[in-house]
Every structure is written in C-alpha cells, then in structure tokens.
Amino acid sequence: MDITQNHLPRLGELTAQLGNDSLSKVLHSVLETILRLPWLEMNAGGIFLNHPEKGYLELLTHINFTPYIAGTCSRVRHGHCLCGRVAQSSELLHVDCVDERHETRYEGMSEHGHYVVPIRWGDDVLGVMVLYVAHHHAFDADEAKVLGDFAGLIGLLIHTWRVRQDMALADRILIHSTHGILVTDAELKIQWVNQAFERMSGYRFSEVLGKTPGVLSSGRHSAGFYDAMWKTIETEGHWEGEIWNRDKSGAVRPQWLSIISLKDKSGRVLRYAGLYVDLSEIRAAEEKIRRLAYHDEVTGLVNLNWLRDQLPDRLASSSCGRYLVVLRLRMKYFQEINAALGHGAGNVMLREMACRLRETVEADAVARIGTDEFAVVWHCEDDPDLQILQTVRRLEKRLASPLHHDYQVLDLGCVMGASWGDGEAAQVDTLLKQASMALAACGRQQDRSTSCLIYDEELGEKVLQRQRLSGLLTHAIGKKELSLRYQPQVDAQGRLVGAEVLLRWDNAVYGSIPPDFFIPLAEESGKIVEIGTWVFEEVLCQIGRWRGSRVFGDRLPRLAVNLSPLQLTSPHVVNHFIETCRTAGEQPGMIELEVTESSMERHLHVISNHIRHLADYGFRIAIDDFGTGHSSLARLHQFPLRVLKIDRSFVTHMALGNSHLTLLKSIVDMAHGLGLEVVVEGVETAEQYRTLVEMGCDVFQGYFFSRPLEPTAFVMWARERWVTAGEPC
C-alpha cells in the first residue's frame, strides 16, 4: 500500500506535548535524587541545556538557587564562569572555594565549592550539571565517577527526549524511524506499520494486517483506561501517554504512545496513526539512578538515603523485636591509608569492612553512610545495652584480624557509637543522629578506654553544650573575647630567646574555656581558619607595639605560632601570611610556625608544598609535639624544618628509667645531626632542666620558667631576668 507524506502524521504534532516542560520536570526529579548523595550537603544544583550553535547554556531546572543566580545564570555564554568553561572543555571541573573563575558572584554570597560535570552523548556536549559542595570540600575521584555516571544517564534522557522532537517529517524517515509507527483505517484495522514497529512488537506486517491494535494488549489496563483514551481522541483529535504493551514473545514493555486521528475536510475520520516510543531504556536508566541513590557502588551496601527513606517502611511491615538498635562505625585509619596507598587500597578496605560486618552481625541492614563510616541496624528482645556491648566485642575481635593487601597490612580498627529505642516508636533518623553524637564523643576520648559509646541523656547534654559553645565561638572575635598569652622560651643559660603564643577564650556566659576544649570545636566547625588568621595578625600587631615602645631594645624575642591543619590546607594561607608581614613591615624570621606531626601525616602533599613556600619566604618552620605520631626523623628531613619541638610526655617519662632517657637523648642527637634546633616543652623542675641541658637540648619551655603570660606581664618577666642571646634569626 502506497502511503504518501500527505496521508501520514507529522512527527511534530505527535510529540508536541513532549517538549521542554516535560523534560525539565524529569530532570528536576533526577536532580532531586542526585542531591540526596550525603556529600552534597549544601543541597543545591542545576542542569543546563547546551545550545552550541548559539554559543550559550540555558538553565533548564535548578534546586535552591538564589533568585540572583537563577536570573543571572538563565543563560551562560560558553567560556564564561565555571559552567561556560566546562561547556567548552567538556571536562569535569572541581573547585573548593569561590575563586577568580567564579565570575558570577554577589555581595553576601556564602563560601562554597562546586562539581561542574559535562553532560555528553557521544562526542556532543548536551548540557552541564553544576552541584554545590561545602567550602574546602576536597576533590574525590569516587565522587567524580558517581557524578559522571549520573551525567551519562541524564545525557540518555536528554537524547531520548530530543529524538522525539527532532524526528523528520518525510516518509522515508518515518519508515526507517527507530520508533514504531502504526496506521489503521477508521474501523481500527491495521493498514501499515514501519520496520521499527516490527522490531518492537515482534510481529511482521503481514501478521497484523487487518487486525486491531488490541493484539498488543498487555492486560494491565482496565476498560475504563481505554474508554477515557478514545473519548479524548474523539473530542480533541489526539491522545498521548504511557502504556504497557505485550510483544509477540509475551514480554510486556513500557511505551509512550501518541495517537492522532486523520480527518477529511468534513471532519470524518479517515485513519488513526500511532507512534510508539520504547521506554525500556529510560526505565532502566531510572532504575540505575534509583540504585545509585540508594546503594554504595564500592561495597554494594545500601547507603544513608536508603536507611532514611526505605528502612522505616520495611520495618513497619515486618515482625521485629522489642528494641531497635543503630550502631555507627568510623574506620580510624582509612583516610591515611587511602591517601598514602591510593583508592585501590582504600576500596579493598571498604569492601572487606562490609564483608566482615555482614558476617559478624545478624542485622536488618548494613550500610555505608559516609566516606569511612558504616551503620548496622538490628532488633533485639531485651537489654539493648548488653546486646550492643556483646556485638561490639564480636566486631572488635573480627576487625582486629589484619587485612593483607599488596604486601601491606591494613588496619580495620574502628571507633563506634550506638543508640537504641523502642522498636515500635523508635525513629531511624533520630537513632542515627544519636549514634552519630555517641560516635563523635567516642572519637574525642583522650584515654581510648573503650571503642564504643552508647548514647544517653548525659552524653546528649554534653553534645548540646558543645553546640552552644560552637555557636558562641562564631562571635568570639567580634566580641573581643579572644586573647593571647606568651609562654617564655629560654636557652641553656636561662636567657629569653622567644615565646610560644597561646590562645585563650573568656566568654561572658561560660567564663574561661580551656583551649583543649574550644580549639577542637573550632577545628570541627572550620572556624579555626578565621581564628588562626586573627591570631597571626594580632601577633604581628604585638610585635609592632613592642618594637615601637622599644621594651626589648633592638632584639625582640622570636614568637612561635601554632598552625591548624585546616589553615595549612587552605589555598590562601601562603599569600595571606606573606602579605600580612609586608603590610605590617615585619620580617618573617621573627615568626616560627609550628606544625603538628599528626597534621603532616594526614595532609602530607598539600601541607608540604605550603611549608616549602613559607620557608622560602623566611618563616621558621617547627615540627610540634614530635613523638606523638608515626613520623620518623628521616622522613622529616624531606621538609624545610628549622626546629624540632619534643612533646612534653618525653620529659614526664624521664623519671621512669634509663631507657626513656636514652630514647630522648637519641632523638636530640639525631635532630642535631639533621641540623635542627631542639625545643623541649613541659619543663617543670630544676632537675629536668639540668638533665635536658646536659643532653644538649637548645631551648626550654615550661612552668619551671613561667606560666603563659599576658603581654604586659611577659614584658615585666623579661625585664626581671632577661639577657639577650643575640639577634633573632
């Protein structure tokens, strides 16, 4: 039968309802799913469509963009700002702060970072996805891979929708279309189908000729569904929607069906034409997105989203025990091993951890809920505290067994926090939060007497107090509650050569708050970077005041300033320190920057680069609390260190016997062999001082000489007993 173009439906009419509005809704739903990933905690992002012929991106959908960003970024030129750059380069871009490439900004914009991911189909860039991450959120290859997978799925969705819109109108293209086309007469007798219909249905044209489309009926739709469909066709001339059809083999598949009635001038129906779009790939893509949203790709375990969204329904529909228990575990050494040995070793640790958890605990769910964190959820009938402790003991024993990988022994040790509640009334999300509090408290323990804490009201109150103090700490600088103390450092003759700068916080409500309490708070919240900046600037101001008053003559004492790992990993730390010294007119050699041994282990690459730049400019670099971590003197020789500061625990242990004295003497000798000045802190008695001098230590600090002093008291102390030891270097 000869079907000409005039008798066939135009594809533009058949797919008119599958335009940008529908696509934006689909992509908005996908974006909502992506933003459930736990490390996208800022919950903001957007998807742009690319118009390469016009040279710009069009914002199609977004979540939580500010009105300014949504308006300004409705169209983004290629090469402009982060998204425009990715449209040009077709490469994923990660930034951890608002830097010079972030050309769209406004007053009051909060600090943040981005993953900007190209959406590709083949060699073409169909669009760009931008996702907000927290300030200083580090690039993670696993995160980038997950986002790349999502971008591939979005590309498939965009491509599928565009195929519907861009199908040609000619007979030849209809015949060779990848979508099935069927034409009937007015009595619904099939008169023509294309090759794609034959492939989709499994029926040859000769097998369906003269039959009705009912041959495809799956039985999933009611008579009312078809009555409503044909009523719409009769009144409006067309219908479209999702339908389930059965092919010749008996398989039932989802399809998007568009039907149009073809009429003569008098309005009499001549034919009906139907366009079938196979939705199987889209449904498979949606299932993959759902799996990515609710499962961890590395371990195969469910994730935090699944625990929050799916587990409550499963528990409600099952017969469970009296109490619901949530145990959270954080791997103590994952970050270090992952950084040192690479993601391959890290993934081996994660998979082994997942395997041992499933083998050891008979649980309702085992989940990976963070980079190095897992959760186990189970029910018990009685005494949940005892059940938790017994489970923890089994886990400790199982995890203590070493993991051998690539000639390395990997430690699976964990800290744990648990919470429990009544099985019927307990809320999974509440228990997860309480277990997180207990886990954090367990990780902060100094004595490490237990590897697990169980949440109770007392622990919860302590957490609330920490949260209140963390909030107050935000305003401590503005309210001028922070101040500096200076603890003298002397040489072997008792002469003042410098001082360590120590931070104090006196709050109007809580009074004097110990540094070992509020400094970890500042580290956890990220406020330590702002506080560290204030300390450095205040130290330079104090040097300037002393220089102006000439209280020390021309020989000012050198000041040692402690640096946080977060400061040293900040991309701006080097330039800020250098520019601050230039502005203040002070020489960097007046400042000794103390870096803890443990921070150098955790952030070796970034910190070592920053240390080298600071040392090149003239700052003295000191390794602080040496002996408390796992570094060696040979490894420290790789860095431009001038000073090694021995931890106070070595001084305390001198009284325990000759072996401790021998160890301390060997450290001093080796440090001198590497050309390092040795500073000892924690000197409390004359005997300790005398012994350390005999060992050859260079500089001494402790309460035997003085407690930390306010600036005025420090000057008075120096006047009473200071004889200068030479020009600062």
Side-chain angles (χ1 to χ4, degrees):
M1 181 177 182
D2 183 22
I3 304 295
T4 66
Q5 179 175 339
N6 291 332
H7 293 101
L8 288 172
R10 298 177 67 87
L11 293 186
E13 297 173 6
L14 293 173
T15 60
Q17 301 303 313
L18 304 180
N20 280 343
D21 287 344
S22 297
L23 179 58
S24 67
K25 291 178 182 177
V26 172
L27 296 187
H28 189 88
S29 175
V30 173
L31 185 59
E32 286 179 332
T33 300
I34 294 172
L35 291 178
R36 292 176 183 165
L37 292 170
W39 33 269
L40 296 176
E41 60 266 34
M42 296 195 70
N43 194 34
I47 297 176
F48 295 81
L49 281 183
N50 189 25
H51 298 281
E53 71 285 353
K54 298 178 182 177
Y56 67 80
L57 297 169
E58 174 191 3
L59 180 61
L60 187 60
T61 186
H62 70 86
I63 294 175
N64 291 334
F65 276 10
T66 64
Y68 178 86
I69 292 296
T72 305
C73 297
S74 59
R75 287 190 177 183
V76 178
R77 300 190 313 276
H78 287 181
H80 177 77
C81 206
L82 303 178
C83 297
R85 286 182 168 89
V86 170
Q88 278 190 332
S89 70
S90 186
E91 297 291 333
L92 182 144
L93 176 63
H94 169 266
V95 295
D96 67 349
C97 63
V98 178
D99 59 19
E100 67 279 0
R101 293 170 294 179
H102 203 300
E103 294 165 307
T104 302
R105 60 179 73 188
Y106 57 89
E107 184 176 355
M109 175 184 283
S110 61
E111 285 290 349
H112 60 272
H114 287 294
Y115 275 108
V116 188
V117 188
I119 300 170
R120 291 187 288 261
W121 181 262
D123 295 329
D124 297 328
V125 177
L126 301 186
V128 169
M129 174 171 64
V130 59
L131 301 166
Y132 283 63
V133 295
H135 188 216
H136 293 319
H137 180 93
F139 173 81
D140 186 290
D142 290 337
E143 294 175 1
K145 183 180 183 305
V146 169
L147 296 180
D149 289 343
F150 274 115
L153 297 173
I154 293 172
L156 172 62
L157 294 174
I158 294 175
H159 173 73
T160 302
W161 286 109
R162 284 185 171 177
V163 165
R164 298 178 188 177
Q165 292 186 317
D166 297 337
M167 290 181 63
L169 305 177
D171 290 347
R172 182 171 58 86
I173 296 178
L174 284 175
I175 293 171
H176 296 287
S177 169
T178 58
H179 303 308
I181 298 174
L182 175 150
V183 178
T184 75
D185 60 15
E187 284 73 40
L188 297 180
K189 304 293 185 182
I190 297 175
Q191 297 185 349
W192 179 83
V193 299
N194 68 351
Q195 296 173 1
F197 178 90
E198 291 182 324
R199 289 193 301 271
M200 291 170 60
S201 68
Y203 291 103
R204 298 181 62 81
F205 174 46
S206 59
E207 294 178 288
V208 295
L209 179 63
K211 296 182 179 180
T212 71
V215 69
L216 304 175
S217 176
S218 65
R220 289 198 179 187
H221 303 289
S222 66
F225 172 86
Y226 291 107
D227 290 342
M229 180 182 76
W230 284 107
K231 184 176 181 180
T232 300
I233 294 171
E234 291 172 6
T235 56
E236 300 181 15
H238 61 87
W239 177 90
E240 64 180 354
E242 186 171 329
I243 194 169
W244 290 86
N245 279 333
R246 188 182 305 275
D247 63 20
K248 185 178 179 180
S249 70
V252 177
R253 303 177 184 276
Q255 296 173 342
W256 187 267
L257 173 60
S258 297
I259 301 175
I260 188 170
S261 59
L262 303 174
K263 302 177 181 179
D264 60 16
K265 293 182 179 180
S266 65
R268 183 172 60 91
V269 174
L270 300 175
R271 291 181 177 83
Y272 295 100
L275 174 71
Y276 297 83
V277 179
D278 189 357
L279 299 180
S280 300
E281 284 191 354
I282 292 178
R283 290 293 174 266
E286 290 173 347
E287 174 58 25
K288 188 172 183 180
I289 288 175
R290 190 197 69 80
R291 178 163 182 81
L292 286 171
Y294 287 122
H295 288 79
D296 172 52
E297 196 170 13
V298 176
T299 64
L301 298 177
V302 295
N303 60 17
L304 185 60
N305 291 331
W306 189 91
L307 290 182
R308 288 172 169 165
D309 298 346
Q310 304 293 316
L311 182 60
D313 292 339
R314 296 204 176 193
L315 295 177
S317 61
S318 64
S319 177
C320 302
R322 181 179 175 186
Y323 299 105
L324 179 64
V325 179
V326 173
L327 176 68
R328 294 178 71 141
L329 309 90
R330 185 175 66 245
M331 303 173 72
K332 291 190 282 190
Y333 307 109
F334 174 80
Q335 301 285 7
E336 296 173 21
I337 294 173
N338 196 51
L341 302 181
H343 294 305
N347 288 345
V348 168
M349 289 183 71
L350 294 171
R351 294 188 188 102
E352 182 65 17
M353 184 72 177
C355 181
R356 295 190 187 188
L357 289 176
R358 283 183 295 214
E359 290 174 352
T360 309
V361 186
E362 187 175 343
D364 295 298
V366 177
R368 183 187 176 201
I369 59 176
T371 303
D372 56 358
E373 195 168 333
F374 292 80
V376 183
V377 182
W378 76 91
H379 279 85
C380 64
E381 289 297 336
D382 50 28
D383 202 344
D385 285 345
L386 178 61
Q387 292 284 336
I388 291 169
L389 294 176
Q390 290 174 342
T391 300
V392 167
R393 280 197 289 269
R394 292 200 306 273
L395 283 171
E396 286 175 333
K397 183 178 180 180
R398 185 70 181 91
L399 297 177
S401 178
L403 169 62
H404 297 276
H405 169 72
D406 227 2
Y407 304 103
Q408 301 282 343
V409 178
L410 309 182
D411 193 333
L412 297 180
C414 290
V415 291
M416 307 179 217
S419 182
W420 57 268
D422 183 272
E424 296 182 358
Q427 297 293 317
V428 172
D429 205 39
T430 300
L431 295 181
L432 281 167
K433 291 176 182 176
Q434 292 175 347
S436 178
M437 295 179 191
L439 174 64
C442 186
R444 289 192 296 267
Q445 288 184 126
Q446 297 296 322
D447 58 3
R448 305 293 185 189
S449 57
T450 178
S451 61
C452 180
L453 289 180
I454 302 175
Y455 178 87
D456 57 22
E457 290 186 2
E458 181 181 356
L459 188 150
E461 180 56 36
K462 289 180 180 178
V463 170
L464 290 176
Q465 184 182 25
R466 286 177 60 85
Q467 292 174 346
R468 287 192 289 267
L469 286 172
S470 182
L472 292 172
L473 188 57
T474 303
H475 309 289
I477 294 177
K479 292 184 176 181
K480 299 183 178 180
E481 294 179 345
L482 299 181
S483 60
L484 301 181
R485 301 291 186 271
Y486 301 84
Q487 186 168 30
Q489 296 174 333
V490 303
D491 62 12
Q493 288 74 44
R495 296 174 299 189
L496 178 67
V497 293
E500 181 178 6
V501 180
L502 300 169
L503 183 63
R504 296 293 183 264
W505 179 22
D506 291 299
N507 178 259
V509 177
Y510 291 94
S512 180
I513 300 169
D516 58 358
F517 187 87
F518 75 79
I519 288 178
L521 277 182
E523 293 272 4
E524 292 170 15
S525 63
K527 300 181 184 73
I528 194 68
V529 176
E530 179 187 0
I531 291 173
T533 298
W534 176 86
V535 169
F536 187 79
E537 293 173 353
E538 182 62 23
V539 166
L540 289 178
C541 289
Q542 185 61 65
I543 292 175
R545 288 191 288 268
W546 283 339
R547 188 183 300 281
S549 64
R550 297 188 60 79
V551 293
F552 293 106
D554 295 327
R555 296 166 180 169
L556 293 170
R558 186 172 57 245
L559 298 183
V561 178
N562 291 281
L563 294 186
S564 158
L566 284 181
Q567 280 181 275
L568 280 169
T569 55
S570 168
H572 310 297
V573 62
V574 176
N575 288 337
H576 175 261
F577 280 12
I578 292 173
E579 289 304 317
T580 304
C581 282
R582 286 175 179 167
T583 302
E586 298 296 345
Q587 293 299 315
M590 293 296 302
I591 304 294
E592 187 174 284
L593 301 176
E594 294 190 355
V595 185
T596 62
E597 184 183 3
S598 57
S599 70
M600 294 182 70
E601 294 168 14
R602 292 195 301 268
H603 311 279
L604 182 62
H605 179 68
V606 174
I607 288 180
S608 62
N609 285 337
H610 288 172
I611 284 175
R612 289 189 178 92
H613 288 308
L614 291 167
D616 290 343
Y617 190 69
F619 290 100
R620 287 169 56 93
I621 307 299
I623 182 74
D624 193 15
D625 296 337
F626 183 80
T628 59
H630 304 286
S631 294
S632 65
L633 286 168
R635 184 179 180 185
L636 296 178
H637 189 47
Q638 303 172 22
F639 306 103
L641 302 176
R642 299 280 296 278
V643 179
L644 184 143
K645 193 169 186 180
I646 297 176
D647 185 66
R648 66 180 62 247
S649 61
F650 284 89
V651 179
T652 303
H653 293 158
M654 285 195 309
L656 298 179
N658 290 333
S659 61
H660 294 277
L661 292 171
T662 302
L663 175 60
L664 183 55
K665 183 68 168 67
S666 66
I667 293 175
V668 173
D669 292 342
M670 292 177 68
H672 285 159
L674 293 172
L676 302 178
E677 179 181 274
V678 176
V679 178
V680 185
E681 61 180 349
V683 181
E684 307 293 340
T685 67
E687 183 180 357
Q688 290 174 343
Y689 180 34
R690 183 168 55 255
T691 302
L692 293 167
V693 169
E694 291 172 355
M695 283 187 182
C697 298
D698 303 299
V699 178
F700 310 85
Q701 175 185 338
Y703 273 70
F704 175 67
F705 308 104
S706 174
R707 60 180 175 80
L709 301 169
E710 295 181 354
T712 303
F714 177 74
V715 171
M716 292 178 62
W717 182 92
R719 282 175 174 170
E720 290 175 0
R721 54 176 295 173
W722 179 43
V723 178
T724 56
E727 292 292 340
C729 58

